Amino acid sequence: MTSDLMTREYERMLLQPTQSYARPVAVPIYAGTTQDAFVFIVEDDVSMREGLVDLLESVGLQSQAFSSPTQLLNMELPDLASCFVLDIRMPGISGLDFQARLVAAGIRIPIIFMTGHADVPMAVKAMKAGAVDFLTKPFREQEMLDAVTRAIELDGTRLDSNRRAIETFTRFQTLSEREREVMDLVTAGLMNKQVAGRIGVVESTVKIYRAQVMRRMGAQSLADLVRMAELLRSAPAPTTSLRAILDRPK
């Protein structure tokens, strides 16, 4: 092989991906199709941003990339299983600062952090605050895809819970004030006689209210009704823009 040919061959080898595996094919990640998931990428390095978008697109995942958390603030939160892929060190709002604001606002969308510096204390802080993964650059494509898959599955579970809570709240709105009062006391563990004494009616009246509550809420048992009450107490804020949520008065 001539010197020129050897040089071109060596350059070609250097440009090849270092991974020994084939890029994964598009497979369902959540709720039957990758179209049911969305990934928000925040990375100030344009080549890294574009590379992540291409990687996720190669397995059928929708994504949108931003150069800073500030750009992301005006986005609407989709009613899809989602996750954030954030560079931990960025100008302006850092990844950790952005995570802290999300946590304070009660936004539970999973976060995957990326960093070019192996910083154990920073990784521990991020994980304690709820990050689902912490990847050190350069990472393998499969590592990112595995982390995104875990995050999407986790957020899918959260969304299912939220949807049940919304359905439960819709049923709860059909109850009268007295029925809501009875539901609150019954699910707090009070017996019919105790509820009657608390609200000033006879026990037979409580039984009537209780039956009406069970029917309107679609509860098959007291345990069902207790679970519904717990969902109502942890109902999520309506889906809206991140800025509206993060700027909401405390």
Side-chain angles (χ1 to χ4, degrees):
M1 184 179 290
T2 67
S3 176
D4 287 345
L5 286 174
M6 289 177 66
T7 299
R8 286 198 294 272
E9 179 66 9
Y10 184 64
E11 289 174 344
R12 184 188 66 78
M13 290 172 63
L14 288 177
L15 292 172
Q16 291 300 313
T18 57
Q19 294 87 342
S20 60
Y21 55 88
R23 177 170 283 189
V25 297
V27 293
I29 288 184
Y30 170 72
T33 172
T34 51
Q35 296 303 309
D36 292 322
F38 198 93
V39 181
F40 295 98
I41 302 163
V42 185
E43 164 64 64
D44 58 346
D45 183 285
V46 62
S47 62
M48 177 65 76
R49 280 202 310 273
E50 292 174 352
L52 287 171
V53 170
D54 288 344
L55 173 63
L56 297 173
E57 187 177 88
S58 74
V59 294
L61 272 169
Q62 303 175 81
S63 67
Q64 189 163 354
F66 306 86
S67 61
S68 71
T70 304
Q71 290 184 339
L72 177 57
L73 289 177
N74 292 321
M75 285 295 298
E76 294 288 322
L77 294 176
D79 189 24
L80 298 172
S82 308
C83 71
F84 295 111
V85 176
L86 305 179
D87 191 339
I88 205 161
R89 296 179 186 271
M90 289 178 291
I93 305 175
S94 72
L96 282 177
D97 290 339
F98 188 64
Q99 179 191 33
R101 293 183 66 180
L102 293 175
V103 171
I107 298 173
R108 303 182 184 91
I109 296 176
I111 296 174
I112 299 163
F113 277 118
M114 306 175 290
T115 181
H117 311 276
D119 188 327
V120 175
M122 188 178 289
V124 170
K125 182 178 180 181
M127 299 300 279
K128 282 185 175 180
V132 298
D133 226 320
F134 195 96
L135 303 180
T136 302
K137 302 173 186 175
F139 45 77
R140 296 185 304 120
E141 289 183 344
Q142 192 62 50
E143 288 180 310
M144 176 58 74
L145 291 176
D146 289 346
V148 168
T149 298
R150 286 192 296 271
I152 291 298
E153 288 175 346
L154 181 63
D155 200 50
T157 300
R158 178 191 65 83
L159 267 183
D160 288 342
S161 177
N162 287 355
R163 287 167 180 151
R164 287 195 300 271
I166 291 169
E167 180 182 352
T168 299
F169 181 70
T170 300
R171 289 177 177 272
F172 181 74
Q173 289 181 307
T174 68
L175 302 182
S176 67
E177 287 298 321
R178 179 65 86 185
E179 288 167 344
R180 295 181 187 185
E181 188 176 13
V182 168
M183 177 177 172
D184 184 48
L185 295 173
V186 167
T187 56
L190 274 66
M191 305 295 289
N192 289 341
K193 186 175 182 179
Q194 294 171 309
V195 174
R198 183 71 65 88
I199 66 177
V201 298
V202 298
E203 186 176 354
S204 59
T205 300
V206 171
K207 291 180 179 179
I208 293 172
Y209 281 130
R210 182 167 170 169
Q212 290 173 178
V213 168
M214 297 286 286
R215 177 175 54 81
R216 291 185 178 180
M217 293 300 296
Q220 301 300 313
S221 64
L222 178 58
D224 277 351
L225 197 63
V226 170
R227 282 192 289 270
M228 290 176 181
E230 290 173 349
L231 276 175
L232 289 169
R233 295 184 184 107
S234 61
T239 299
T240 183
S241 72
L242 282 173
R243 185 178 296 280
I245 295 174
L246 294 174
D247 292 344
R248 191 170 51 205
K250 301 296 185 289

